[in-house]
Amino acid sequence: MSIPSAPKKICVYVDGFNLYHAVDELKDNRLKWLNFYSLAKSFEKPGEKLNKVYFFTAVLTWNYDKQQRHRNFIAAQEALGVRVIEANFKKVSKFCHPMNRFCKNHEEKQTDVAIAVTLLEDAMRDEFDRAILVTADSDQMPLVTSVKRLFPDKWITLSAPPGRAHMARELGAVVHDRKPLSVGRLHAHRMPRDIYDQNGNKVASMPALYLD
């Protein structure tokens, strides 16, 4: 009697801000309360099994209300089994054309590197047979080409957020295949209003802003 082969493992890597800005442009706040774990499960093909889900993000520090909403969202993801990896923001000076001078601003730092390092480490540890990148950031092209060269048995799927496929053309040209993230799929994977941990304790609630 033949022994069934083990299911192929998949890992999903969510570029939080890339997805957030795409969702924000849809003008539907309900889609900001997403269940990244069940969304990742929806990428499974027959014979595959979800191994890990990562959410890469950075929490801003200069707006208390937004910071609290973000921490609330992170708590919800962690309770659902998502691994959250935080980067940070740094102050930068950029030329502001409307004001014709340099202005202080904040830029997210380290997320691109964190995604690349995490995915490469997972490839080295044989944590996945297929990796799904949820992003439209062309900065991940060197990552993809390196994985393909070093781990020819690994497969990489690109899932560009809604409305961002045109931004991901270069990245889409180097991955093995593409599965655009549709608005319908996002709607199918919204979280319930309240999120509870394994002990039944409520750890997060949907902000009122996301109810409409």
Side-chain angles (χ1 to χ4, degrees), residues 82-97:
V82 175
R83 299 165 188 244
V84 179
I85 297 181
E86 291 189 39
N88 55 53
F89 284 93
K90 289 187 177 180
K91 287 185 178 180
V92 295
S93 182
K94 284 190 171 183
F95 189 78
C96 181
H97 290 280

Side-chain angles (χ1 to χ4, degrees), residues 122-123 126-130 147 151-156 176:
D122 281 349
D126 197 27
E127 295 288 350
F128 67 83
D129 297 288
R130 185 164 71 101
V147 171
F151 307 96
D153 59 329
K154 305 296 184 188
W155 191 273
I156 298 184
H176 293 93

Side-chain angles (χ1 to χ4, degrees), residues 118-136:
T118 303
L119 194 149
L120 277 171
E121 287 180 346
D122 281 349
M124 292 172 64
R125 294 172 179 146
D126 197 27
E127 295 288 350
F128 67 83
D129 297 288
R130 185 164 71 101
I132 296 96
L133 272 173
V134 180
T135 189

